[in-house]
Each structure stands twice: as structure tokens, then as C-alpha cells.
Amino acid sequence: MFPLTEGNKHVAQLLFSTGTCPRCIFRFCGVDFHAPYKLSYEELFNELQKFLKTEKGELILEVPNPPPKKIRLHELEDGIDGTDNQSQNGEGRVSIIEGGSIAFKSSSPNVCNVCLGILQEFCEKEFIKKVCQKVEASGFEFTNLVFSVSFPPQLSVREHAAWLLVKQEMGKQSLSLGRNDIVQLKEAYKWITHPLFSEELGVPIDGKSLFEVSVVFAHPETVEDCHFLRAICPDCFKPAKNKQSVFTRMAVMKALNKINEEDFRKQFPCPPNSPKAVCSVLEMECAHGAVFVAGRYNKYSRNLPQTPWIIDGERKLESSVEELISDHLLTVFKAESFNFSSSGREDVDVRTLGNGRPFAIELVNPHRVHFTSQEIKELQQKINSSSNKIQVRDLQLVTREAIGHMKEGEEEKTKTYSALIWTNKAIRKEDIEFLNDMKDLKIDQKTPLRVLHRRPLAVRNRIIHSMETCYVDEHHFRLQLKTQAGTYIKEFVHGDFGRTKPNIGSLMNVTADILELDVESVDVDWPPALDD
């Protein structure tokens, strides 16, 4: 059913005469139901012609300024002078009739002066098929998708010009047309294309999908349409580091909301001129939102950093915990890159034992995303069999939100350590037993000298919840500590030239140093433990 009524006829005639396509005419007539937009362009064009015909079978197109005795419709739209009554493509004939209107018989469509061809060529099945072919060739795994488009900012200027034209004409009939009465171009485009995408790819369009297909349109011919706005509203167009042009859609809309109608009309034609060419596709991209893998790792080597150890561009050690885990994930998930995070970190010479340290890895733009629990378990086994320096447990897919649990209240969590300590003075078993009785010892730690290059200078208050000693010989003993997370254990032992107070050395009145340190437990109840 054709959606326009006799009440729309005047607006439809006006817009059609100035080079506006049927779907844009629907938008300016407030047609807000989907079905009419989905008809093929050829069918829409023919139906609109029938709707605008007089009883004599002529198509009446009222124009603001009557043209000369004979004019081509294409010339009317492009502003080209000429008297030949044949259109460029040889189809269609225009002639003047009474009242300064023009009669037009059978025409092929020209490029819309409002949408620049977006609702003409880029809504049809042929274009959608081409996009879908690229999607299928991209190698991404998906069960739904988001389809997003970026239109040239000058479309907003052209729509504003067409709106002022229609608003003025409707005002003569004591009718009004607000900006919000016009159906947005993106809305109309979505109504038409989403069902076609779903049909072609066999998956639903879902606004929450992590898989996005994006198309960026450009129209070089009209790129200067926006430039006059910068002279009138310079404060709306401020350069941004991540933007190639100041003429963004948001900046243009901001300027259009500020400029008054009279100033706009002086600077830009109402109706807008018809272009010679349709928009072009500047780029078409497929991308998948990040997926997250979490688990716990044990580190058994005293010669392995948590993250790559690179100083002044030179790698100090050949691998790291991060790389031993992430290299496998990158390959299996076919991701472009990754980001590694963990609940704290250990030094290169510190082992992590017990249930391990919680970690999470963000996999950026993965092409494969669907895994069974068995496949994840096999991936864990592959990581563990590839190196004797680390082991991973509880490997699982998690959400972005779940990673927050790893960081929540991190400093309130506790960690347990085992340290082998050396003293310069000979000690007896009785000399260390008093440490066993100390509970919730408060210490002040100035940022250690060894991390001052990457941590801000500050004094941090930490708590040693409990200590348990085990005598080894007259210069060595083992110390089990349960501490507040974020405590620098090495500095608590040797004092860091008095930057940590009190410390084991000052408590025992000796010079103490730490020979070995192990993390026995990280008391973060995340990620959930899995059955082996």
C-alpha cells in the first residue's frame, strides 16, 4: 500500500521536483512504518510517479522558480543550462504546462539531492550481497551482528536545507514541520537493510552483538557543503587528535542547531543542488569485540618475569609468564592482540605456588569465539605441556564485567609468602620466636628504590597480619608471612635503607636479607575453581 495521502501531495511534488528520492520524500512526509521503505527502488519510483500524475496522465512537479520554455529534468537538478528536452540518459521528457509547473513522463532516477544516493543504490539487495560476501570472506565466527554505518556529515546540511524548504511551503498552508517530524536517515536505512542482512547471512541483527560490520560512506563531490558553517560557528569546529577532519557529524549538528534560518539560506541553497554521482564506500570493516579468558597461574622458575622484561629496547630474558600463556590464546582465538592483567605481580626471582595467581587476558578482535568447556580444557593442557616454568589452572571464558572482581578491594585482600632469610649475626631459635607472637603489625613503606622508576613516590601503610618462623641454622631461618596485599616483602625484610619501618632487621637488631621468596597464596576468590 502506497503510504502518501492527498495531504502529502504538495510536499511530495515539491521535493520530487527538486531532485529528492522517493524514500527521502517518505521521510519528510513523516512515514514512520517500515513496509513502504522496503519496496524496490524501481517500484517506489513508479508508484510515486502514479501518485503525482494529474487526470491527464501528466506528472505535476511544482518548482519555486519556473524554468525556461523547455528544460531537462536532469538539468533542473544539476543546475546545467540547456534547451534540449531530452535527459542525459535519453529517457524522460519535460515540458511546461499552465501555472509554471512542469509535466514529466517516464524517467529513470537521478542522484537524490538529500541522501546522495544512500537510500537509492545502497539499500538494494545487490549492495547488501556484496557486503555479505566480504563478511563471509573475513573469517569471523558469529551468530548475530551489529550493522553500523557512517554517513558523510554534509548529509545533515542537505537535510537541513530540504527541511527549511518544506517547512516554508507548509507554513504557507498554516502547517508546521519540526525537525523531529522527519524520519532519520539512519532509521530508514536500518528498516530497509537489517531484514536483508538477516536473510542473506542467516543470523539476526542484534544491537548487543559483539560482532560489528561497519560501512563508511563518503561523497567527495559535496565535501565542501559543511565549510560555510565553520565561518559562522567557529567554536563548533575544534580540532581533535583522533579526528582527521573537524567536520564531524556531531560538530555539524551542533552548528546547525546554532545557526539561524536566514543566515543558513544566505549560505546554502534551499533546496540543495543535485549531485552528479552517488556516495562511495570509503571502507567496509568487520570487527569482533574483545573476549576475555581468566585463570590462575603458577610460576616455578626464579628466572622468569611476569611480563616481557625490556630495557631501552633490549630484551633481558627470552620469555615471560604473559607470553607463555598468551601466545597459545592468540593462535587459537585468532586474535590480533591481547592485554594481560593479574591480581598483583611477582618479581622475576619469585615463585608463585599454591593455587596460583589470578589473571585475565583480553583478546582483541578475535576471529574465533565459540569454544566448548572441553576445548578450553584442552587449551589449558596445551599451555601446561609447552613449558615446565608455568602451569595454568581454572582456565575459562569470562565477561568483561567479571574481571572487576579480580581488582575489587585488592588492597584489602591478603597474601601468604614463604621467605628464606639470612642474618649477618649468628642467631638461635629463641632469637626469632618473638616474631610468631606479632599480630597485625603496622608498617610504613616508602616506594622502594627498585621500583621508583615506574611507581610514584609515596608512603604506603601496610599490615603484616601474622608471621611464623622456622629455624634453619645460625644465619638462616624461614619466615611464613600473611600480609595485606600490596606489601613489599623484600623491603620488609631488609628495610630498604630505612625506607620500610619497622622491618625484620630493625625488629631483630641485625642486618637481614632475603635469599628466596615464594608466593604461597593469593586470597582472591576469583575466577571460580573448576573441576579438573
Side-chain angles (χ1 to χ4, degrees), residues 300-312:
Y300 302 121
S301 171
R302 296 197 187 278
N303 196 35
L304 183 70
Q306 187 191 64
T307 55
W309 191 4
I310 300 171
I311 300 176
D312 297 330

Side-chain angles (χ1 to χ4, degrees), residues 128 132 135-136 142-145 194-205:
I128 301 301
C132 290
V135 172
E136 290 170 336
F142 59 95
T143 54
N144 50 29
L145 64 89
H194 281 194
L196 296 176
F197 269 108
S198 290
E199 181 183 350
E200 190 68 27
L201 293 172
V203 300
I205 304 292

Side-chain angles (χ1 to χ4, degrees), residues 487-506:
T487 304
Y488 291 103
I489 304 302
K490 291 178 179 178
E491 283 67 25
F492 172 61
V493 173
H494 59 63
D496 197 25
F497 301 101
R499 297 167 72 86
T500 292
K501 299 177 181 178
N503 55 71
I504 292 295
S506 66

